[in-house]
Amino acid sequence: MSTTSHLRSLNINNINPHVKEAKYAVRGELAIKSEEYRAQLKKKQSSHQAGGPPTPPDEQSLPFDSVISANIGNPQQLDQKPITFFRQVLSLLENPTLLSNPSVLQSSFGYPSDVISRAEFLHQECHSVGAYSASQGVPAIRQSVAKFIEQRDGGYPADPKDIYLSAGASSGVNTLMHVICASPQTGVLVPIPQYPLYTATLSLLDATCVPYYLDESNEWGTSLDTIKQSYSRAKSQGTDVRAIVVINPGNPTGASLTSDNIKSIIDFAAQEHLVILADEVYQTNIFLGEFTSFKKALRQLQSAHPSKYDNVELASLHSCSKGMVGECGHRAGYFELVGFDSEVQAQIYKFVSIMLCPPVIGQCLVDCMVNPPQPGDPSFQIYDEEYNGIKHDLRERAEALYDAFKQMEGVEIASPPQGSMYLFPRITLPSRAVDEAKKLGRKPDELYCLRLLERTGICVVPGEGFGQEPGTLHFRTTFLAPGTDWVGRMVDFHKSFLDEWR
């Protein structure tokens, strides 16, 4: 007897096996379940407000009244307000007829003159945000990015021809990995724990992840000896190790590298002819110390040691999704290439051109991010208040969560919050809980996070989703959610979970 499944071309056994192999924990089972809970709560609330029939009993059982999506760095979902200057500029670009009467914009709608002039400039350069741009991005915006990089790095110049605007940093990673990964034997050194974009992309490309473990006992520091050991082991097994990924500040660890750390990695990459992929999307999320870019460190080494580092290949990535900007939904970012062969760079251009161009409204947002209002500009005061207010709130929440973890039994946290948007605490669970997880076919940290979601509505990500040293358990949480009520929920849950399984 035939069924519809027999009439379909695709089934789970004949699709691309590399898609099935790829894992992306931050949008996995727990995230899906959290959205189901959110919809259930919304339905119950809507029914109550409309005076409709009671919610069925099976939908009244949730022991919480809100879902906290602490699983992903999505600031505006968790009530971070957009920067006014950015949104005002974008609103005029989306509806450029408003620019025909700037006096009304100022007098009736409160649009400052610098907002209007920026929108006019970008509209002139883009012609329309509804039109394709050059594949590499609008030239004038790439020029703005180059100026930003030069100012950030203390005067070391950047060339717009080496800058590629992208649909977020993830798109840039995808582009670069496609060019680097030539065969299953191609290897890329990836920090563990890591943002699962890297391992997932390597799985999709049927390439080899070469893990190097970060040192939890040393505030999640990067050990050059560990990197060398991982590299040598992979080479001895026939892997063609071509690149090293460094996430700074770290995701999920929040660790921030010193200038000396960065230079030691560059030195190793120079010796072994490795491409450096520097994921620097959290460069403004620094709480301790200061951010040093790989580009700046490389230029300093090149100045101090002429010719030694001339052939280092560096790709640096940045994004509008993180920091105080938090515009994840606009999918905007860029990457800069340094030291790449011109023929390889031509192939990178060809690859991005296949996708035509990144979202043009997102490109305009990049321009706002890298060239925000300056002192003396009409929009500067409110921009400065908003930007620093967000930064202050993030740090305050990070410290509150860190203090809570320090007081929780069986929870260890490697260091005070240093940067990014996350904490990655280590947890020790009772043996009975570990045994229960095995019975259910789950990892112990996965069971812990699942129960946390079911009982509190807080969605975090098990450490297994980022990779962790064998025999250790962790979870990653953002500290983006406003208020402290949810932290109290987490503390209470943790105590009850331990008591349940002692």
Side-chain angles (χ1 to χ4, degrees):
M1 177 175 161
S2 63
T3 66
T4 55
S5 62
H6 292 150
L7 300 177
R8 293 186 176 122
S9 172
L10 295 179
N11 61 66
I12 195 64
N13 296 315
N14 69 7
I15 63 171
N16 186 334
H18 307 308
V19 174
K20 292 192 292 182
E21 179 65 22
K23 295 178 175 61
Y24 191 69
V26 296
R27 293 277 190 170
E29 177 193 1
L30 271 68
I32 294 170
K33 186 178 285 288
S34 74
E35 290 305 316
E36 292 172 354
Y37 288 159
R38 194 189 307 278
Q40 188 172 329
L41 289 170
K42 185 176 181 180
K43 180 180 178 181
K44 180 179 178 181
Q45 182 183 27
S46 298
S47 177
H48 176 74
Q49 291 175 343
T55 306
D58 64 328
E59 294 192 2
Q60 292 181 335
S61 57
L62 294 181
F64 48 84
D65 58 9
S66 64
V67 172
I68 302 295
S69 298
N71 60 303
I72 192 166
N74 193 12
Q76 293 188 23
Q77 184 191 45
L78 293 167
D79 295 334
Q80 179 172 309
K81 302 302 181 187
I83 299 289
T84 300
F85 176 82
F86 298 173
R87 286 300 184 89
Q88 286 181 325
V89 171
L90 298 189
S91 70
L92 297 180
L93 292 169
E94 290 283 13
N95 187 5
T97 57
L98 296 172
L99 290 170
S100 62
N101 200 333
S103 61
V104 172
L105 285 174
Q106 289 182 271
S107 62
S108 299
F109 297 100
Y111 276 56
S113 59
D114 56 343
V115 166
I116 296 169
S117 61
R118 180 67 63 86
E120 288 174 338
F121 166 76
L122 290 171
H123 182 60
Q124 180 180 7
E125 296 297 328
C126 300
H127 304 295
S128 170
V129 295
Y132 292 133
S133 73
S135 295
Q136 201 170 335
V138 175
I141 298 176
R142 288 190 284 118
Q143 180 66 51
S144 293
V145 174
K147 289 180 180 178
F148 161 78
I149 293 171
E150 181 174 345
Q151 292 169 354
R152 181 199 66 189
D153 292 343
Y156 291 109
D159 192 330
K161 72 177 178 58
D162 297 324
I163 292 165
Y164 295 72
L165 303 184
S166 58
S170 299
S171 173
V173 169
N174 183 61
T175 295
L176 295 163
M177 288 291 201
H178 267 84
V179 172
I180 291 168
C181 297
S183 76
Q185 284 70 49
T186 300
V188 177
L189 284 155
V190 176
I192 299 297
Q194 53 90 41
Y195 178 47
L197 167 68
Y198 293 97
T199 47
T201 304
L202 289 169
S203 292
L204 291 170
L205 295 172
D206 193 25
T208 300
C209 174
V210 180
Y212 66 92
Y213 286 97
L214 303 178
D215 186 357
E216 185 172 9
S217 66
N218 188 28
E219 299 185 344
W220 292 113
T222 299
S223 165
L224 188 59
D225 286 340
T226 299
I227 293 173
K228 289 179 177 178
Q229 290 168 10
S230 296
Y231 173 81
S232 298
R233 188 182 307 114
K235 293 285 284 186
S236 69
Q237 295 169 351
T239 302
D240 175 20
V241 185
R242 292 187 171 186
I244 179 169
V245 173
V246 187
I247 308 173
N248 181 44
N251 177 7
T253 66
S256 185
L257 296 179
T258 66
S259 177
D260 287 342
N261 291 150
I262 292 168
K263 288 177 180 177
S264 68
I265 294 169
I266 294 173
D267 188 64
F268 174 70
Q271 292 175 29
E272 304 299 344
H273 306 289
L274 299 176
V275 177
I276 302 170
L277 300 180
D279 182 333
E280 298 175 334
V281 302
Y282 297 100
Q283 60 187 259
T284 59
N285 290 105
I286 296 286
F287 304 134
L288 295 177
E290 62 180 31
F291 171 77
T292 298
S293 73
F294 268 78
K295 167 77 173 297
K296 181 178 181 179
L298 174 60
R299 291 304 191 219
Q300 289 173 336
L301 286 172
Q302 289 172 334
S303 297
H305 306 279
S307 77
K308 182 177 179 180
Y309 299 97
D310 287 355
N311 294 318
V312 171
E313 297 153 284
L314 168 67
S316 303
L317 301 114
H318 194 17
S319 170
C320 292
S321 297
K322 310 304 178 185
M324 276 44 75
V325 181
E327 292 279 5
C328 304
H330 273 110
R331 309 309 303 132
Y334 70 83
F335 61 92
E336 180 190 20
L337 302 180
V338 175
F340 276 67
D341 180 90
S342 60
E343 292 183 326
V344 172
Q345 199 155 331
Q347 296 302 309
I348 292 173
Y349 177 84
K350 180 179 73 175
F351 187 91
V352 300
S353 70
I354 292 170
M355 304 307 294
L356 297 175
C357 72
V360 176
I361 195 70
Q363 295 183 47
C364 295
L365 179 62
V366 170
D367 187 87
C368 293
M369 177 182 74
V370 300
N371 185 20
Q374 300 300 309
D377 291 345
S379 295
F380 177 75
Q381 183 176 346
I382 188 169
Y383 168 80
D384 189 59
E385 290 173 356
E386 290 173 341
Y387 187 95
N388 287 305
I390 292 169
K391 190 166 189 175
H392 174 269
D393 288 349
L394 287 176
R395 181 165 191 164
E396 200 171 62
R397 293 171 198 163
E399 290 173 349
L401 192 55
Y402 170 74
D403 289 341
F405 285 149
K406 286 197 300 181
Q407 297 170 17
M408 290 163 63
E409 179 186 354
V411 175
E412 300 174 55
I413 187 80
S415 70
Q418 296 181 47
S420 78
M421 297 176 170
Y422 314 101
L423 293 177
F424 196 64
R426 181 171 178 169
I427 54 175
T428 300
L429 301 180
S431 58
R432 288 183 59 238
V434 174
D435 292 341
E436 177 68 11
K438 289 178 181 177
K439 290 178 186 175
L440 297 173
R442 295 185 179 275
K443 302 291 185 182
D445 49 0
E446 183 186 3
L447 175 65
Y448 177 90
C449 295
L450 179 61
R451 295 291 180 263
L452 174 66
L453 174 61
E454 291 172 343
R455 297 176 188 178
T456 70
I458 300 171
C459 183
V460 298
V461 187
E464 186 69 20
F466 303 92
Q468 53 195 349
E469 286 270 16
T472 67
L473 302 172
H474 301 79
F475 64 86
R476 188 194 78 166
T477 177
T478 72
F479 41 77
L480 295 169
T484 57
D485 168 69
W486 69 282
V487 178
R489 282 195 237 172
M490 184 180 287
V491 171
D492 292 343
F493 161 80
H494 182 77
K495 183 179 184 304
S496 67
F497 185 88
L498 294 188
D499 289 344
E500 178 184 356
W501 294 104
R502 292 185 196 278

